[in-house]
Amino acid sequence: MIRNDKIVLRALEPEDADLLYNWENQMELWPVSNTLTPFSRHQILTYIRQISFDIYQTKQLRLMIDVINGEKQESIGMIDMFDFDPYHNRGGIGVMIYKPERGKGHAHEAVDLFISYAFNQLGLHQVYCDISEDNDRSIKLFESLGFEFIGRKKEWLKTPTGYKDELMYQKIAAKK
């Protein structure tokens, strides 16, 4: 587990299947996760079994975000590393916080903890994220954590109202 005094980032467990099933099937989240169809419980359980393989095999890592509340932990979101590239020492980051828990600083804590893990344990040189141009909260979050705007993919994301640009941000590890 990766933790601080507020947040725990932990591996997915089979017991998380129902929660993931509910989160992954929220259509409002599909545009950011490139999802077009609902997931079955069977697909979720299969995914949980496969994601437990080594990051060097799967090139991705998904962890649950648990908030510490006294003696209890409550799952409030997920954080991902995708496109993990151990040769170039980089990977993409994505984060999802369950709607009732948004705006409480949990995403900031989780991403900050995850970046520290990526740089210090995985030895990454850089991390990056892609954000829809209208996702002001995510832009503000990643900029507050030292990510720099590096580019714009024009009309990259198809939405029901037309195409939107996707913004690219990256953070390079401090030189030692």
Side-chain angles (χ1 to χ4, degrees):
M1 284 188 287
I2 306 161
R3 65 183 305 141
N4 64 21
D5 59 337
K6 298 176 186 172
I7 295 288
V8 174
L9 306 179
R10 63 170 179 81
L12 275 68
E13 299 287 349
E15 298 80 41
D16 297 318
D18 286 336
L19 191 55
L20 290 177
Y21 174 79
N22 289 327
W23 288 346
E24 293 286 359
N25 286 312
Q26 291 180 21
M27 286 181 71
E28 68 188 51
L29 299 175
W30 289 2
V32 286
S33 64
N34 293 320
T35 301
L36 297 174
T37 59
F39 290 96
S40 69
R41 279 188 171 77
H42 174 74
Q43 287 171 306
I44 297 289
L45 282 168
T46 300
Y47 172 76
I48 290 172
R49 280 190 220 94
Q50 290 174 343
I51 198 71
S52 64
F53 294 133
D54 189 283
I55 187 173
Y56 291 90
Q57 291 176 314
T58 62
K59 307 296 184 216
Q60 66 177 348
L61 173 66
R62 175 171 282 183
L63 300 173
M64 295 298 288
I65 302 170
D66 288 358
V67 66
I68 300 170
N69 191 357
E71 296 292 316
K72 296 190 319 184
Q73 289 179 202
E74 179 184 2
S75 297
I76 53 107
M78 302 174 286
I79 193 162
D80 295 303
M81 177 162 292
F82 57 92
D83 294 340
F84 173 70
D85 184 338
Y87 179 77
H88 294 287
N89 293 321
R90 66 179 174 232
I93 293 179
V95 62
M96 190 285 302
I97 301 293
Y98 181 52
K99 201 169 198 172
E101 295 297 321
R102 293 180 190 160
K104 299 179 181 179
H106 301 314
H108 189 279
E109 289 285 334
V111 173
D112 191 41
L113 197 57
F114 198 63
I115 292 167
S116 177
Y117 168 75
F119 288 159
N120 298 317
Q121 271 68 48
L122 295 177
L124 295 189
H125 173 66
Q126 63 181 286
V127 291
Y128 66 91
C129 63
D130 300 312
I131 306 171
S132 176
E133 67 182 330
D134 61 348
N135 190 340
D136 296 329
R137 287 181 121 170
S138 286
I139 292 168
K140 188 176 180 180
L141 166 68
F142 283 95
E143 286 179 348
S144 75
L145 289 164
F147 281 70
E148 293 181 34
F149 174 76
I150 58 164
R152 176 182 299 266
K153 296 182 235 175
K154 294 199 176 275
E155 298 186 13
W156 194 258
L157 303 170
K158 183 179 178 182
T159 73
T161 59
Y163 287 90
K164 293 182 183 175
D165 293 358
E166 185 172 76
L167 309 180
M168 301 164 51
Y169 284 83
Q170 89 183 135
K171 181 173 184 163
I172 297 177
K175 295 186 180 183
K176 295 179 182 182

